[in-house]
Amino acid sequence: MKKWFTIAVIACTAAASANYSTSKKAAVILDNFNTGQVSPKLEARQDYPKYDSSMRTLENFIINPLGPVQRRPGTRYVATVKTGTPRIIPFEYSTDDVYAIEMGDEYMRFYRNGAQILAGGGGTYEIVSPFDSSELSSVRYAQSGNLMYLVDGNDVPQILTRTAHNAWTIGNIAQEGGPFLNENETETSTIAASAVTGTGVTLTATSGPFDSDHVGALWQISHIVEANDIDGRFWTSGDSNSATISVMEDQTYTVTTGGDWYGTFNIERSYDAGSTWQNVKSFAARGNTNVLYNGVEAYDDALYRVTMRDQLVTGHMVRHGEGECDYTLATDSFTRNGIVSITAVADANSATATVITDLASTDATWRWSEGMWSGYRGWPKTVAFHQQRAVYGGSDSYPTVLWWSQTGSDGYDDFLTGTLDTDAFWVDLTGMNPIRWILSGDYLLIGTSGSVGRYGKQGMPITPTTPGWVEQSDHGSAEIQAVVAGDTVLYVERNARKIREFGYNLQYDRYTTPDLTVLSEEITDPNVLELAFQTQPYPILWCLLGDGDIAALCYYRGEAVVGWSQQNTDGDFKSVATMPGSGTTPAGDTWTEDEVWTVATRDVNGTDYTFIEQFTPVEWGSDSNDCWFLDSALSTSGDLGGGSSVFTGLSHLAGETVTVYADANCIGTAVVSGAGAITLAGTYTNVTAGLPYTSKFETLPLRLSPSIPLARISDFKIMAVNADLYETGYLKYALSKDAALTTADFGTDFVSNTIDFSRFVMPYGTREKYTVYIESAQPAPLTVRALISEAEYYPPR
């Protein structure tokens, strides 16, 4: 039995050997990594066109659209927040004048040129804000010059105004003219005011319309103003004045004359109760040239009169009944829409108000309209500026409504509706899906929970009578502000996981919404909280995640580059914002890239702190002392004091162990004293100290060219990897993240900006899936341009 078994084994081995040739060599070339980290579900798709540019892991790396990947820059500590966990938002007056705003629990602090703005007499400059900590994530904002409008759905829309670096104010918009609900139709439900103008006016109702949450809301109280007229005759030489008549704002009037008169007939008005008069219209006549004039008082309530100047009446005219001028000044009946702002509510039938637009009467009237915005009905949740209008969208009671102000910057707060092209109006979008965001582009672009679409017509101004809403896709949006990215919009889908592009597609002649996370569906786990888009030096979408990490998307639409990487830190990122690079840093460096700011929470020696930090430039220059690969760090070129071997200024990391980069070398760690100082073993000139982070890079399983046949996976080995590196100081490598790592320390050679191929010989052995794994936790640069793996394989005979 044993004999026959041995013969069988020998026979099988011989047969197997007969099917295979001697080994051959091949190269596996990876020279582009801009697809970034992809889903593990793609690993078996070696036929996929982007397979070789995809990564299993790309952590704390930034993707260059050209193909390389490089360590993300570290962050520079700027300040410790006042309290809690604030949000960071940008304020961009111009690309040369930008600010970062720390928006916290009922306060705001301000930053410029990488530093916190101080008050005139010293100390941190801050203002009181109406937004508490529970509302910060809901705040949406839009900017026009020195004004930023902010809404959150819970508070009156706010205007943040900058007049100097340390002179900011925030307050309620000066809401005018509405918007209002449809007028009450129940004639037994009336409201009477104790006065037609002034403050502290008492409103008395009959049907209990008031609620304590109406404080701050506008109400419209309307009366019908009856027609009125004055008439008389001018029939004397010289000048004559008529009696006066009240003409209210927007009221029309008619002036007529009769007779055969000589002189100058005038229509005049007064806005100061008759103290001074303005001429509205003059008519000069010699003989039977009579007047028929129709006018409207467009500015304010006024007194009107007619006058005759230099009238000629002779005795002969008197004897023959000639030369008289008979006149009539008549006002037309109209509805006067008075507006009040509720300041207090005593009970359901009694409120106190300030009159915004004078009422016509104190009489009780059933013609009243409740404001659409209030604590009772809800305040707007989104805001944008589009075609010289302020546009607000959605509230708790009216989630699908868009409100458009009157045109012009002086009309941003006026919502008096009408039919003129310049008038305010509001529209209710079709469907029941709440508005999530609005952005201005060629159209007003709108995201709702159930769809995205556009409002307006190409090349046409939006008016109360132009057509509007056109749905483009049923991929709805999460309640997260979308961002403009070049000529497209990027937004978070309703599930808070997918990032979609919303842009015009020439092929389909419509806006489409492709999924940018389709290859990397796990990258946004557990959910997205905020978006910020950076334009320079590379177009990057920063997606703040619910677990405190950031998913970064290299997005270059023109070159079809869509690549994801993960960003994490020793702690959690809590907010992120981008703005144009402007000015210089405290170290004296000129910003040529967009600024990226973050709020980060960190455990420092057992205590949690929250810091405002700024990412340093991706392109750090040619001086090796300027590279910055530590988080919450400071350097001697900015904030570290002292010198030689003792450096001070790290009080925010007191008691913590920090990593030190000194004179272009990674020199190890140091413990920060309670006074914020570190003591180094040697003497150094240029020092950066902060918290380390680990960058991880791993390819998908390597593959031979599809033209190379293999009968078994085990017939394929990787013997060595040749790495094309750029500005690299240090790394560790292996064939798989689970293998033992080998160190490659280049010292300061990276200063030359060019490193020849570095050949990494791999431990002998075979595995079913080879990957190239590289990592670094040292404060030195690392850029991978290409990997050329030396493979040995046994093709079938």
Side-chain angles (χ1 to χ4, degrees), residues 711-735:
R712 300 178 308 183
I713 295 176
S714 59
D715 294 324
F716 166 50
K717 304 177 191 176
I718 296 296
M719 310 306 294
V721 175
N722 296 276
D724 183 357
L725 305 174
Y726 177 76
E727 292 184 343
T728 296
Y730 179 95
L731 59 84
K732 292 182 178 180
Y733 64 90
L735 282 179

PDB file of all heavy atoms in Angstrom, residues 711-735:
ATOM      1  N   ALA A 711      -1.322  29.968 -13.452  1.00  0.00           N
ATOM      2  CA  ALA A 711      -2.239  28.878 -13.121  1.00  0.00           C
ATOM      3  C   ALA A 711      -2.644  28.955 -11.661  1.00  0.00           C
ATOM      4  O   ALA A 711      -3.751  28.579 -11.293  1.00  0.00           O
ATOM      5  CB  ALA A 711      -1.588  27.530 -13.421  1.00  0.00           C
ATOM      6  N   ARG A 712      -1.705  29.411 -10.794  1.00  0.00           N
ATOM      7  CA  ARG A 712      -1.997  29.497  -9.361  1.00  0.00           C
ATOM      8  C   ARG A 712      -1.501  30.839  -8.833  1.00  0.00           C
ATOM      9  O   ARG A 712      -0.470  31.350  -9.269  1.00  0.00           O
ATOM     10  CB  ARG A 712      -1.290  28.362  -8.607  1.00  0.00           C
ATOM     11  CG  ARG A 712      -1.689  26.985  -9.045  1.00  0.00           C
ATOM     12  CD  ARG A 712      -0.910  25.928  -8.285  1.00  0.00           C
ATOM     13  NE  ARG A 712       0.529  26.156  -8.348  1.00  0.00           N
ATOM     14  CZ  ARG A 712       1.444  25.346  -7.812  1.00  0.00           C
ATOM     15  NH1 ARG A 712       1.044  24.258  -7.192  1.00  0.00           N
ATOM     16  NH2 ARG A 712       2.719  25.619  -7.906  1.00  0.00           N
ATOM     17  N   ILE A 713      -2.232  31.405  -7.866  1.00  0.00           N
ATOM     18  CA  ILE A 713      -1.816  32.672  -7.267  1.00  0.00           C
ATOM     19  C   ILE A 713      -0.470  32.526  -6.580  1.00  0.00           C
ATOM     20  O   ILE A 713       0.359  33.441  -6.584  1.00  0.00           O
ATOM     21  CB  ILE A 713      -2.889  33.161  -6.270  1.00  0.00           C
ATOM     22  CG1 ILE A 713      -4.172  33.490  -7.017  1.00  0.00           C
ATOM     23  CG2 ILE A 713      -2.405  34.362  -5.465  1.00  0.00           C
ATOM     24  CD1 ILE A 713      -5.323  33.889  -6.134  1.00  0.00           C
ATOM     25  N   SER A 714      -0.216  31.356  -6.007  1.00  0.00           N
ATOM     26  CA  SER A 714       1.044  31.164  -5.279  1.00  0.00           C
ATOM     27  C   SER A 714       2.248  31.144  -6.201  1.00  0.00           C
ATOM     28  O   SER A 714       3.389  31.129  -5.735  1.00  0.00           O
ATOM     29  CB  SER A 714       0.986  29.857  -4.476  1.00  0.00           C
ATOM     30  OG  SER A 714       0.765  28.761  -5.348  1.00  0.00           O
ATOM     31  N   ASP A 715       2.035  31.146  -7.522  1.00  0.00           N
ATOM     32  CA  ASP A 715       3.145  31.196  -8.473  1.00  0.00           C
ATOM     33  C   ASP A 715       3.611  32.619  -8.734  1.00  0.00           C
ATOM     34  O   ASP A 715       4.337  32.868  -9.698  1.00  0.00           O
ATOM     35  CB  ASP A 715       2.728  30.557  -9.798  1.00  0.00           C
ATOM     36  CG  ASP A 715       2.457  29.064  -9.645  1.00  0.00           C
ATOM     37  OD1 ASP A 715       3.174  28.429  -8.849  1.00  0.00           O
ATOM     38  OD2 ASP A 715       1.513  28.579 -10.287  1.00  0.00           O
ATOM     39  N   PHE A 716       3.211  33.549  -7.876  1.00  0.00           N
ATOM     40  CA  PHE A 716       3.523  34.979  -8.049  1.00  0.00           C
ATOM     41  C   PHE A 716       4.133  35.495  -6.746  1.00  0.00           C
ATOM     42  O   PHE A 716       3.550  35.341  -5.669  1.00  0.00           O
ATOM     43  CB  PHE A 716       2.228  35.711  -8.405  1.00  0.00           C
ATOM     44  CG  PHE A 716       2.288  37.210  -8.288  1.00  0.00           C
ATOM     45  CD1 PHE A 716       3.310  37.937  -8.871  1.00  0.00           C
ATOM     46  CD2 PHE A 716       1.302  37.905  -7.597  1.00  0.00           C
ATOM     47  CE1 PHE A 716       3.351  39.309  -8.777  1.00  0.00           C
ATOM     48  CE2 PHE A 716       1.335  39.281  -7.496  1.00  0.00           C
ATOM     49  CZ  PHE A 716       2.362  39.985  -8.079  1.00  0.00           C
ATOM     50  N   LYS A 717       5.365  36.037  -6.825  1.00  0.00           N
ATOM     51  CA  LYS A 717       6.048  36.575  -5.648  1.00  0.00           C
ATOM     52  C   LYS A 717       6.522  37.989  -5.931  1.00  0.00           C
ATOM     53  O   LYS A 717       6.859  38.329  -7.053  1.00  0.00           O
ATOM     54  CB  LYS A 717       7.282  35.732  -5.291  1.00  0.00           C
ATOM     55  CG  LYS A 717       7.047  34.272  -5.062  1.00  0.00           C
ATOM     56  CD  LYS A 717       8.392  33.611  -4.787  1.00  0.00           C
ATOM     57  CE  LYS A 717       8.278  32.103  -4.803  1.00  0.00           C
ATOM     58  NZ  LYS A 717       9.616  31.465  -4.640  1.00  0.00           N
ATOM     59  N   ILE A 718       6.568  38.823  -4.887  1.00  0.00           N
ATOM     60  CA  ILE A 718       7.189  40.139  -4.972  1.00  0.00           C
ATOM     61  C   ILE A 718       8.525  40.054  -4.255  1.00  0.00           C
ATOM     62  O   ILE A 718       8.606  39.722  -3.067  1.00  0.00           O
ATOM     63  CB  ILE A 718       6.299  41.221  -4.324  1.00  0.00           C
ATOM     64  CG1 ILE A 718       4.995  41.364  -5.096  1.00  0.00           C
ATOM     65  CG2 ILE A 718       7.032  42.561  -4.275  1.00  0.00           C
ATOM     66  CD1 ILE A 718       5.155  41.865  -6.513  1.00  0.00           C
ATOM     67  N   MET A 719       9.576  40.367  -4.972  1.00  0.00           N
ATOM     68  CA  MET A 719      10.928  40.254  -4.423  1.00  0.00           C
ATOM     69  C   MET A 719      11.450  41.580  -3.886  1.00  0.00           C
ATOM     70  O   MET A 719      12.238  41.618  -2.945  1.00  0.00           O
ATOM     71  CB  MET A 719      11.885  39.734  -5.506  1.00  0.00           C
ATOM     72  CG  MET A 719      11.371  38.495  -6.218  1.00  0.00           C
ATOM     73  SD  MET A 719      10.949  37.147  -5.074  1.00  0.00           S
ATOM     74  CE  MET A 719      12.557  36.757  -4.409  1.00  0.00           C
ATOM     75  N   ALA A 720      11.029  42.667  -4.519  1.00  0.00           N
ATOM     76  CA  ALA A 720      11.513  43.984  -4.090  1.00  0.00           C
ATOM     77  C   ALA A 720      10.560  45.040  -4.634  1.00  0.00           C
ATOM     78  O   ALA A 720       9.805  44.798  -5.584  1.00  0.00           O
ATOM     79  CB  ALA A 720      12.936  44.245  -4.573  1.00  0.00           C
ATOM     80  N   VAL A 721      10.598  46.216  -4.018  1.00  0.00           N
ATOM     81  CA  VAL A 721       9.789  47.342  -4.470  1.00  0.00           C
ATOM     82  C   VAL A 721      10.712  48.540  -4.654  1.00  0.00           C
ATOM     83  O   VAL A 721      11.492  48.882  -3.753  1.00  0.00           O
ATOM     84  CB  VAL A 721       8.674  47.692  -3.470  1.00  0.00           C
ATOM     85  CG1 VAL A 721       7.923  48.943  -3.925  1.00  0.00           C
ATOM     86  CG2 VAL A 721       7.713  46.527  -3.319  1.00  0.00           C
ATOM     87  N   ASN A 722      10.645  49.157  -5.818  1.00  0.00           N
ATOM     88  CA  ASN A 722      11.392  50.378  -6.088  1.00  0.00           C
ATOM     89  C   ASN A 722      10.442  51.565  -5.939  1.00  0.00           C
ATOM     90  O   ASN A 722       9.450  51.678  -6.674  1.00  0.00           O
ATOM     91  CB  ASN A 722      11.978  50.345  -7.495  1.00  0.00           C
ATOM     92  CG  ASN A 722      12.993  49.227  -7.659  1.00  0.00           C
ATOM     93  OD1 ASN A 722      14.155  49.392  -7.307  1.00  0.00           O
ATOM     94  ND2 ASN A 722      12.544  48.083  -8.167  1.00  0.00           N
ATOM     95  N   ALA A 723      10.730  52.415  -4.979  1.00  0.00           N
ATOM     96  CA  ALA A 723       9.840  53.539  -4.681  1.00  0.00           C
ATOM     97  C   ALA A 723      10.405  54.824  -5.263  1.00  0.00           C
ATOM     98  O   ALA A 723      11.560  55.169  -5.017  1.00  0.00           O
ATOM     99  CB  ALA A 723       9.663  53.679  -3.172  1.00  0.00           C
ATOM    100  N   ASP A 724       9.576  55.528  -6.036  1.00  0.00           N
ATOM    101  CA  ASP A 724       9.928  56.853  -6.537  1.00  0.00           C
ATOM    102  C   ASP A 724       9.357  57.865  -5.541  1.00  0.00           C
ATOM    103  O   ASP A 724       8.144  58.105  -5.502  1.00  0.00           O
ATOM    104  CB  ASP A 724       9.327  57.060  -7.924  1.00  0.00           C
ATOM    105  CG  ASP A 724       9.731  58.397  -8.528  1.00  0.00           C
ATOM    106  OD1 ASP A 724      10.430  59.172  -7.852  1.00  0.00           O
ATOM    107  OD2 ASP A 724       9.319  58.662  -9.674  1.00  0.00           O
ATOM    108  N   LEU A 725      10.222  58.432  -4.746  1.00  0.00           N
ATOM    109  CA  LEU A 725       9.821  59.322  -3.666  1.00  0.00           C
ATOM    110  C   LEU A 725      10.209  60.760  -3.976  1.00  0.00           C
ATOM    111  O   LEU A 725      11.132  61.020  -4.745  1.00  0.00           O
ATOM    112  CB  LEU A 725      10.471  58.893  -2.345  1.00  0.00           C
ATOM    113  CG  LEU A 725      10.238  57.444  -1.925  1.00  0.00           C
ATOM    114  CD1 LEU A 725      11.054  57.109  -0.692  1.00  0.00           C
ATOM    115  CD2 LEU A 725       8.764  57.178  -1.678  1.00  0.00           C
ATOM    116  N   TYR A 726       9.518  61.688  -3.329  1.00  0.00           N
ATOM    117  CA  TYR A 726       9.762  63.113  -3.559  1.00  0.00           C
ATOM    118  C   TYR A 726       9.650  63.814  -2.215  1.00  0.00           C
ATOM    119  O   TYR A 726       8.704  63.602  -1.453  1.00  0.00           O
ATOM    120  CB  TYR A 726       8.729  63.644  -4.544  1.00  0.00           C
ATOM    121  CG  TYR A 726       8.793  65.128  -4.830  1.00  0.00           C
ATOM    122  CD1 TYR A 726       9.787  65.650  -5.654  1.00  0.00           C
ATOM    123  CD2 TYR A 726       7.857  65.997  -4.291  1.00  0.00           C
ATOM    124  CE1 TYR A 726       9.839  67.007  -5.938  1.00  0.00           C
ATOM    125  CE2 TYR A 726       7.898  67.357  -4.569  1.00  0.00           C
ATOM    126  CZ  TYR A 726       8.886  67.860  -5.385  1.00  0.00           C
ATOM    127  OH  TYR A 726       8.936  69.195  -5.670  1.00  0.00           O
ATOM    128  N   GLU A 727      10.638  64.623  -1.875  1.00  0.00           N
ATOM    129  CA  GLU A 727      10.634  65.339  -0.601  1.00  0.00           C
ATOM    130  C   GLU A 727      10.227  64.416   0.542  1.00  0.00           C
ATOM    131  O   GLU A 727       9.237  64.627   1.232  1.00  0.00           O
ATOM    132  CB  GLU A 727       9.701  66.554  -0.662  1.00  0.00           C
ATOM    133  CG  GLU A 727      10.206  67.639  -1.585  1.00  0.00           C
ATOM    134  CD  GLU A 727       9.342  68.885  -1.580  1.00  0.00           C
ATOM    135  OE1 GLU A 727       8.183  68.810  -1.109  1.00  0.00           O
ATOM    136  OE2 GLU A 727       9.824  69.926  -2.043  1.00  0.00           O
ATOM    137  N   THR A 728      11.017  63.387   0.726  1.00  0.00           N
ATOM    138  CA  THR A 728      10.722  62.379   1.734  1.00  0.00           C
ATOM    139  C   THR A 728      11.880  62.266   2.706  1.00  0.00           C
ATOM    140  O   THR A 728      13.035  62.148   2.291  1.00  0.00           O
ATOM    141  CB  THR A 728      10.444  61.012   1.077  1.00  0.00           C
ATOM    142  OG1 THR A 728       9.273  61.128   0.277  1.00  0.00           O
ATOM    143  CG2 THR A 728      10.235  59.924   2.109  1.00  0.00           C
ATOM    144  N   GLY A 729      11.545  62.272   4.001  1.00  0.00           N
ATOM    145  CA  GLY A 729      12.588  62.172   5.012  1.00  0.00           C
ATOM    146  C   GLY A 729      12.605  60.865   5.753  1.00  0.00           C
ATOM    147  O   GLY A 729      13.648  60.446   6.268  1.00  0.00           O
ATOM    148  N   TYR A 730      11.458  60.191   5.819  1.00  0.00           N
ATOM    149  CA  TYR A 730      11.382  59.001   6.678  1.00  0.00           C
ATOM    150  C   TYR A 730      10.150  58.203   6.306  1.00  0.00           C
ATOM    151  O   TYR A 730       9.108  58.755   5.964  1.00  0.00           O
ATOM    152  CB  TYR A 730      11.288  59.438   8.142  1.00  0.00           C
ATOM    153  CG  TYR A 730      11.183  58.310   9.145  1.00  0.00           C
ATOM    154  CD1 TYR A 730      12.309  57.812   9.774  1.00  0.00           C
ATOM    155  CD2 TYR A 730       9.948  57.754   9.458  1.00  0.00           C
ATOM    156  CE1 TYR A 730      12.209  56.774  10.706  1.00  0.00           C
ATOM    157  CE2 TYR A 730       9.830  56.717  10.383  1.00  0.00           C
ATOM    158  CZ  TYR A 730      10.978  56.235  10.992  1.00  0.00           C
ATOM    159  OH  TYR A 730      10.886  55.217  11.907  1.00  0.00           O
ATOM    160  N   LEU A 731      10.267  56.856   6.396  1.00  0.00           N
ATOM    161  CA  LEU A 731       9.110  55.986   6.254  1.00  0.00           C
ATOM    162  C   LEU A 731       9.454  54.597   6.753  1.00  0.00           C
ATOM    163  O   LEU A 731      10.611  54.253   6.962  1.00  0.00           O
ATOM    164  CB  LEU A 731       8.621  55.925   4.803  1.00  0.00           C
ATOM    165  CG  LEU A 731       9.596  55.444   3.717  1.00  0.00           C
ATOM    166  CD1 LEU A 731       9.643  53.918   3.623  1.00  0.00           C
ATOM    167  CD2 LEU A 731       9.193  56.003   2.359  1.00  0.00           C
ATOM    168  N   LYS A 732       8.394  53.796   6.952  1.00  0.00           N
ATOM    169  CA  LYS A 732       8.532  52.369   7.203  1.00  0.00           C
ATOM    170  C   LYS A 732       7.728  51.636   6.135  1.00  0.00           C
ATOM    171  O   LYS A 732       6.721  52.159   5.652  1.00  0.00           O
ATOM    172  CB  LYS A 732       8.003  52.004   8.591  1.00  0.00           C
ATOM    173  CG  LYS A 732       8.837  52.566   9.739  1.00  0.00           C
ATOM    174  CD  LYS A 732       8.264  52.124  11.084  1.00  0.00           C
ATOM    175  CE  LYS A 732       9.104  52.639  12.238  1.00  0.00           C
ATOM    176  NZ  LYS A 732       8.563  52.207  13.558  1.00  0.00           N
ATOM    177  N   TYR A 733       8.165  50.421   5.785  1.00  0.00           N
ATOM    178  CA  TYR A 733       7.504  49.742   4.691  1.00  0.00           C
ATOM    179  C   TYR A 733       7.426  48.250   4.951  1.00  0.00           C
ATOM    180  O   TYR A 733       8.162  47.691   5.775  1.00  0.00           O
ATOM    181  CB  TYR A 733       8.212  50.004   3.366  1.00  0.00           C
ATOM    182  CG  TYR A 733       9.627  49.455   3.311  1.00  0.00           C
ATOM    183  CD1 TYR A 733       9.866  48.152   2.860  1.00  0.00           C
ATOM    184  CD2 TYR A 733      10.715  50.224   3.701  1.00  0.00           C
ATOM    185  CE1 TYR A 733      11.154  47.645   2.813  1.00  0.00           C
ATOM    186  CE2 TYR A 733      12.002  49.730   3.654  1.00  0.00           C
ATOM    187  CZ  TYR A 733      12.215  48.432   3.214  1.00  0.00           C
ATOM    188  OH  TYR A 733      13.476  47.926   3.175  1.00  0.00           O
ATOM    189  N   ALA A 734       6.504  47.597   4.226  1.00  0.00           N
ATOM    190  CA  ALA A 734       6.362  46.146   4.275  1.00  0.00           C
ATOM    191  C   ALA A 734       5.438  45.733   3.144  1.00  0.00           C
ATOM    192  O   ALA A 734       4.775  46.556   2.511  1.00  0.00           O
ATOM    193  CB  ALA A 734       5.795  45.694   5.614  1.00  0.00           C
ATOM    194  N   LEU A 735       5.399  44.417   2.882  1.00  0.00           N
ATOM    195  CA  LEU A 735       4.429  43.862   1.948  1.00  0.00           C
ATOM    196  C   LEU A 735       3.211  43.440   2.760  1.00  0.00           C
ATOM    197  O   LEU A 735       3.095  42.299   3.160  1.00  0.00           O
ATOM    198  CB  LEU A 735       5.012  42.667   1.192  1.00  0.00           C
ATOM    199  CG  LEU A 735       5.970  42.990   0.052  1.00  0.00           C
ATOM    200  CD1 LEU A 735       6.483  41.712  -0.585  1.00  0.00           C
ATOM    201  CD2 LEU A 735       5.279  43.851  -1.000  1.00  0.00           C
TER     202      LEU A 735
END
